[in-house]
Amino acid sequence: KSQVARDFLERHNLWMIDVLQKYQRNWPAGSECSADDKYIKWNLNDCTCFKPIFDKCLSLSRIAFTSKNAASWTLQKLLKEQLLSMNVFICYK
């Protein structure tokens, strides 16, 4: 990450992380390479561990995602780590 990006994030109290720390892309035979999440093979144990992050966070008001799959992976991991209750309102645009 560039220093400019880091400075921007710090100045606005924002934080970024990759949800999956390990994954594989499995494209169908004959298809072109794609960044589409639907070709990602992943395991819940390969997701970021959020507990240390939440322990350091004084307040958290919003979480933004780059895709529905990233949101799903994150929410599954947060539920597994008991950092999120099932009563959370989730909105996709």
Side-chain angles (χ1 to χ4, degrees):
K1 295 175 188 171
S2 74
Q3 190 60 45
V4 173
R6 288 176 205 235
D7 291 345
F8 175 85
L9 293 171
E10 286 180 21
R11 192 169 50 253
H12 295 285
N13 295 317
L14 299 172
W15 184 77
M16 289 174 55
I17 193 167
D18 290 323
V19 174
L20 298 178
Q21 298 301 304
K22 179 179 168 185
Y23 64 91
Q24 288 183 314
R25 287 196 185 271
N26 294 328
W27 295 287
S31 69
E32 293 183 28
C33 294
S34 169
D36 194 327
D37 285 353
K38 70 182 177 183
Y39 299 118
I40 291 180
K41 181 180 176 182
W42 68 285
N43 182 303
L44 191 59
N45 294 327
D46 296 330
C47 287
T48 295
C49 181
F50 292 101
K51 179 109 175 74
I53 297 163
F54 275 50
D55 287 344
K56 289 181 184 178
C57 229
L58 298 178
S59 68
L60 179 65
S61 61
R62 291 178 182 87
I63 302 176
F65 302 97
T66 56
S67 71
K68 287 183 182 180
N69 286 348
S72 175
W73 301 328
T74 301
L75 296 175
Q76 287 178 60
K77 184 68 173 193
L78 291 174
L79 286 168
K80 181 179 179 184
E81 294 181 354
Q82 299 180 342
L83 298 171
L84 189 67
S85 74
M86 292 298 289
N87 298 326
V88 171
F89 177 73
I90 312 243
C91 178
Y92 290 105
K93 201 167 190 180

